[in-house]
Amino acid sequence: MASVSDSSKQSLIPSFLYASSAKSFSLDRLLSANNPAFGASHAATLDAPAVSSSPSIKTRTFMIASPNEPGKKIEMYSPQFYAACTFGGILSCGLTHMAVTPLDLVKCNMQIDPAKYKSITSGFGVLLKEQGVRGFFRGWVPTLLGYSAQGAGKFGFYEFFKKYYSDLAGPEYFSKYKTLIYLAGSASAEVIADVALCPFEAVKVRVQTQPGFARGLSDGLPKFVKSEGALGLYKGIVPLWGRQIPYTMMKFASFETIVEMIYKYGIPTPKDQCSKSLQLGISFAGGYIAGVFCAIVSHPADNLVSFLNNAKGATVGDAVKKLGLWGLFTRGLPLRIVMIGTLTGAQWGIYDAFKVFVGLPTTGGVAPAVEVVKA
């Protein structure tokens, strides 16, 4: 099985880009293939051994690990690390939000028109009767693109700010106030992430709650801008921050705490000795539990966002007056708990699975390395 896997990996990479442990690839050979004059003038260098016996002579040979050799791991907190976390966030948020579009569609309509969409089951029945099966996925394009952009900022900047604030605090204060650092890092990241999400969210809600407004993003975006102006796309940015910042603070801080407690009290072996499948299972479980808390904390603002993006010219006061304080906290909450719990668990599972795929450790359970100034 190992030989089949290795050969399949090698077939995806041109043979001149990798080398076995027995041979190396010369930069000059590549250059001379396109420039004979260069090759002739450097013949001696080309035939020189890969490693010079003289320490004063630098060779022009470089090595790239072949697929059957251990590759160089991504260095923690390097630009490559943050790029990998950003891409993992795109996958985790974009794919999961798109997958729960039917639930989100029913939830938004229950918030906007509770007389018509009285419950989860009746809501699905109304949608099926009026719009057919295709109606369940109305607005999936702005959902995919918007939450992919948000996921990039949410996870990528969270990892950056968590490390940045940890270094500012130092090892002693980090161990004492790590929850505050998780909260500050996630809040900072979400402020940026929501700027990317807001225009897509505005179009998504309008498409999902006003049948006939538009088929999706391509015709919905210009129609929205024509009706409300370009700044109208950001009409819901403050309620969106009100929904997403508490949600994300709870999502990351509670996840980090829950996972740490699982490894500390529930798993008899250290994290680095656990199998990757067990670590990913813990990531999903910790994410699901965190998602339940997230849904409760952010639900009032979620009702506000749906109301403001559905009604032209509506204000927060209009929403509170129509929904009532109790309705603001409870309308559509059971469905959102199921949706956000599943969503958050899946997001952490996908995110950490991608990190494992590229050779990085899963999130949580171990304190981030704190910057130490070397003498």
Side-chain angles (χ1 to χ4, degrees), residues 250 254 258 288-298:
M250 182 65 72
S254 61
I258 291 165
Y288 196 99
I289 297 170
V292 174
F293 294 118
C294 291
I296 296 170
V297 166
S298 63

Side-chain angles (χ1 to χ4, degrees), residues 264-281:
K264 187 175 181 179
Y265 301 110
I267 304 296
T269 55
K271 176 184 174 180
D272 57 2
Q273 296 178 21
C274 296
S275 66
K276 294 301 181 184
S277 58
L278 176 59
Q279 291 184 36
L280 292 176

Side-chain angles (χ1 to χ4, degrees), residues 154 186-187 190 243-253:
K154 184 196 296 276
S186 56
E190 191 62 35
R243 180 187 80 185
Q244 290 298 132
I245 291 176
Y247 164 85
T248 301
M249 292 171 71
M250 182 65 72
K251 173 179 181 174
F252 284 91

Side-chain angles (χ1 to χ4, degrees), residues 86-98 141-155 193 196-197 200:
T86 298
F87 190 75
I90 291 173
L91 292 177
S92 67
C93 290
L95 294 177
T96 51
H97 275 278
M98 184 185 69
V141 174
T143 298
L144 174 63
L145 297 181
Y147 283 95
S148 292
Q150 187 217 33
K154 184 196 296 276
F155 283 91
L197 169 64
F200 296 97

